[in-house]
Amino acid sequence: MSDKPGRARRRPISGPPRAEHVGDEAKRRELPLGSAVRRRTPVRAWPAATRQGRTALLAAERAEQAALAQGVRRRTHFLALLCVIVAVSAVVALLGTVGLLAESRSRPLTPAEQQRYKQEEIARRWQAWPAATVFPEEVQYVGLDRAQQYARRVGIAPETRCGQAADTAVGGVLEEHGCVTMLRATYIDQTATFVITVGVAVLKDEESRVSAAEQLSVDDRVGVHPVAFPGTVAERFGPEQRQRNSWVGAGPYIVFSTAGYADGRTRAAVPPEEILHSELWPAARSVGGQIAYFLAEPPKVPRCTQGNVC
């Protein structure tokens, strides 16, 4: 059998490996630890693998579950308490709103409220009214034979302590029952014959006035001190010129009257029978009564809490 000329026939290679391949494998076996082939590290035992480890793990789990349950209970209690607080606050706010609406809504006045309105209105008149309204410039009174006459105001005195504006027997009682102040003014009749001083004692309330009036003296020689105004018909009207004294209650006020003659005659100089038949005393009582009536006249009471529309 012949081959083609110019080409050598290749034979298979057999036998032991080459020396260079043997050297390469030896080098691979001698590679350091950080190379591709590493040495396996030993595995540490898991704590739960032992009985003691399992017991500790179960105990830890139970403690964690107990803490979690306690936290849930506390949170539930807190939420319940918060809900109660919110509910109570809502009820209080609702009741307050309902009460405010009911109070602010116009409604008819009760009889007790009407009476209280009258008392409060009358009690503040001595401050709310001007002095010229408390003591009008002219006061109508009824003289002898039922004749209508007028007394004219001479002057108004400054406010005075009740104990200083009246005799001791009267002033002491007023002070004891809480008298606030004494207002006084002096009048003369149409003929300028009689001089009349009217004193308004202001008590705290009507109950105090009633208590004080029960203890006032019935002696007509004591009462309010007269007020004289120099340069007028009443300039000679002093304590010695008083002929008689009286008083009348009206609301929280006690209205005193004292009268005398403009010519300066004293009480001792006038015979008792002349006083009894004189027009002086009826005029004095009538003027004092008119001023008391003005002060205690019942006011118009509104029908509703906000006027006359309910």
Side-chain angles (χ1 to χ4, degrees):
M1 183 175 177
S2 59
D3 296 329
K4 293 182 179 181
R7 178 179 296 183
R9 188 175 182 177
R10 186 176 298 180
R11 291 183 176 181
I13 299 175
S14 63
R18 295 180 183 182
E20 56 183 1
H21 294 294
V22 174
D24 293 340
E25 187 169 351
K27 289 179 181 180
R28 284 194 299 270
R29 290 177 181 178
E30 292 177 0
L31 287 175
L33 183 61
S35 62
V37 179
R38 297 179 182 272
R39 184 178 300 172
R40 299 179 64 181
T41 57
V43 179
R44 299 177 63 181
W46 181 252
T50 63
R51 178 176 298 179
Q52 294 179 350
R54 288 195 299 270
T55 304
L57 182 60
L58 292 175
E61 290 180 353
R62 286 194 295 268
E64 183 178 358
Q65 292 177 357
L68 180 61
Q70 185 177 7
V72 171
R73 287 195 298 271
R74 289 181 178 177
R75 184 170 180 272
T76 303
H77 294 163
F78 173 76
L79 291 176
L81 179 60
L82 183 62
C83 291
V84 171
I85 293 175
V86 172
V88 172
S89 301
V91 171
V92 171
L94 180 61
L95 292 177
T97 303
V98 172
L100 180 61
L101 292 175
E103 186 64 25
S104 60
R105 186 178 66 252
S106 182
R107 57 174 178 78
L109 290 174
T110 65
E113 289 174 334
Q114 294 178 1
Q115 182 63 24
R116 185 167 62 250
Y117 179 90
K118 293 179 182 178
Q119 292 176 349
E120 292 175 354
E121 172 66 21
I122 293 173
R124 70 185 188 91
R125 283 177 176 172
W126 74 274
Q127 287 180 309
W129 286 0
T133 303
V134 176
F135 298 111
E137 184 175 358
E138 288 188 347
V139 177
Q140 184 178 2
Y141 67 93
V142 179
L144 295 179
D145 299 327
R146 309 295 298 176
Q148 296 291 330
Q149 300 190 37
Y150 292 88
R152 182 170 55 86
R153 189 187 68 220
V154 176
I156 300 175
E159 290 185 32
T160 312
R161 286 182 51 191
C162 299
Q164 296 177 348
D167 295 306
T168 303
V170 175
V173 173
L174 296 177
E175 294 282 356
E176 181 182 349
H177 289 83
C179 184
V180 179
T181 189
M182 179 77 79
L183 313 176
R184 291 179 297 172
T186 298
Y187 290 82
I188 59 172
D189 71 328
Q190 289 185 176
T191 63
T193 302
F194 309 134
V195 183
I196 304 164
T197 291
V198 178
V200 178
V202 181
L203 280 299
K204 294 183 298 183
D205 47 45
E206 190 167 354
E207 289 74 16
S208 299
R209 187 267 299 172
V210 172
S211 300
E214 291 176 349
Q215 299 182 23
L216 286 178
S217 174
V218 295
D219 188 352
D220 67 354
R221 293 173 298 178
V222 296
V224 67
H225 289 167
V227 181
F229 290 90
T232 68
V233 179
E235 64 180 351
R236 288 185 289 179
F237 188 38
E240 297 298 324
Q241 282 72 38
R242 292 181 297 178
Q243 300 297 321
R244 296 184 67 175
N245 297 272
S246 68
W247 57 266
V248 60
Y253 311 109
I254 299 179
V255 180
F256 293 89
S257 300
T258 185
Y261 291 100
D263 58 11
R265 282 182 288 176
T266 64
R267 179 183 174 108
V270 179
E273 60 272 10
E274 181 178 342
I275 293 295
L276 292 176
H277 299 285
S278 171
E279 192 177 356
L280 180 147
W281 191 233
R285 294 186 62 180
S286 182
V287 171
Q290 285 295 317
I291 292 176
Y293 174 80
F294 296 151
L295 281 171
E297 184 179 9
K300 293 182 179 179
V301 181
R303 295 188 299 105
C304 309
T305 55
Q306 297 182 6
N308 292 320
V309 178
C310 299

